[in-house]
């Protein structure tokens, strides 16, 4: 699942369509809120795909704010700080094997994990990364979105 973002009146192919998985969209949306809170605050349903978005003028203004953040190094610093914060999070006890590394619940038994001494939730380690580690953000994604919104003629999130 992901967010499909469509240009309302695209100037070119770049402004026609942007897509991010939910694992990439939510961190991007959080970054948009940091970089341009007044603009992105106009998008009431930023984290859902119900057609909300911005008009052309606000899209161009958002693109300019993102370009300034990319040029100044703010975007890269944000991505690095985010990655460091996630790396510092403690690992979580696996909910499927309760930290044993072997999944013995009915699903684990039916799939043969119990006999093999393995758990598919943690790869047999007994713990796993925090959920936040599943969500990623890169300056490349910020750059791609900035180009999209600049040429979108306004956008809608579906």
């Amino acid at each position: 699942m992901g967010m499909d973002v469509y240009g309302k009146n695209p100037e070119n192919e770049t402004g026609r369509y942007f897509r991010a998985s939910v694992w990439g969209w939510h961190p991007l949306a959080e970054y948009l809120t940091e970089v341009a809170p007044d603009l992105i605050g106009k998008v009431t349903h930023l984290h859902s795909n119900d057609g909300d978005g911005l008009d052309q003028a606000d899209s161009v203004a958002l693109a300019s704010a993102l370009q300034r953040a990319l040029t100044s190094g703010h975007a890269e610093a944000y991505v690095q700080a985010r990655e460091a914060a996630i790396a510092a999070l403690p690992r979580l006890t696996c909910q499927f094997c309760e930290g044993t590394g072997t999944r013995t619940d009915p699903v684990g038994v039916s799939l043969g994990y119990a006999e093999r001494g393995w758990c598919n939730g943690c790869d047999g380690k007994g713990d796993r990364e925090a959920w936040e580690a599943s969500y990623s953000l890169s300056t490349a994604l910020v750059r791609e979105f900035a180009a999209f919104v600049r040429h979108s003629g306004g956008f809608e999130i579906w």
Side-chain angles (χ1 to χ4, degrees), residues 127-151:
D127 63 13
R128 61 172 184 76
E129 292 179 316
W131 280 112
E132 292 87 346
S134 299
Y135 295 86
S136 63
L137 180 65
S138 68
T139 54
L141 188 66
V142 174
R143 189 174 295 106
E144 183 183 347
F145 189 71
F148 163 77
V149 295
R150 179 166 307 283
H151 300 288

Side-chain angles (χ1 to χ4, degrees), residues 59-99:
S59 292
V60 171
L62 177 59
S64 295
L66 290 170
Q67 189 56 56
R68 284 190 301 275
L70 286 159
T71 302
S72 71
H74 182 273
E76 182 61 32
Y78 180 93
V79 167
Q80 288 179 4
R82 183 181 181 283
E83 288 174 357
I86 289 170
L89 292 172
R91 293 184 63 85
L92 304 173
T93 300
C94 178
Q95 65 190 23
F96 301 111
C97 68
E98 298 176 347

Side-chain angles (χ1 to χ4, degrees), residues 2-158:
M3 301 301 192
D4 296 307
V5 189
Y6 295 94
K8 291 181 180 179
N9 189 21
E11 297 173 1
N12 56 32
E13 200 59 35
T14 302
R16 204 169 297 289
Y17 178 73
F18 173 87
R19 184 182 196 293
S21 72
V22 294
W23 306 107
W25 178 260
H26 295 302
L28 176 61
E30 291 167 7
Y31 185 63
L32 299 175
T33 301
E34 163 126 351
V35 170
D38 293 341
L39 288 168
I40 216 63
K42 296 177 181 182
V43 183
T44 306
H45 304 289
L46 181 61
H47 288 274
S48 66
N49 51 0
D50 64 354
D52 206 353
L54 292 175
D55 65 19
Q56 182 173 4
D58 287 338
S59 292
V60 171
L62 177 59
S64 295
L66 290 170
Q67 189 56 56
R68 284 190 301 275
L70 286 159
T71 302
S72 71
H74 182 273
E76 182 61 32
Y78 180 93
V79 167
Q80 288 179 4
R82 183 181 181 283
E83 288 174 357
I86 289 170
L89 292 172
R91 293 184 63 85
L92 304 173
T93 300
C94 178
Q95 65 190 23
F96 301 111
C97 68
E98 298 176 347
T100 66
T102 301
R103 188 166 180 176
T104 59
D105 66 345
V107 172
V109 171
S110 71
L111 294 174
Y113 299 154
E115 351 178 305
R116 288 188 292 180
W118 185 73
C119 174
N120 65 320
C122 63
D123 197 25
K125 295 176 185 152
D127 63 13
R128 61 172 184 76
E129 292 179 316
W131 280 112
E132 292 87 346
S134 299
Y135 295 86
S136 63
L137 180 65
S138 68
T139 54
L141 188 66
V142 174
R143 189 174 295 106
E144 183 183 347
F145 189 71
F148 163 77
V149 295
R150 179 166 307 283
H151 300 288
S152 68
F155 65 89
E156 297 175 329
I157 306 163
W158 290 102

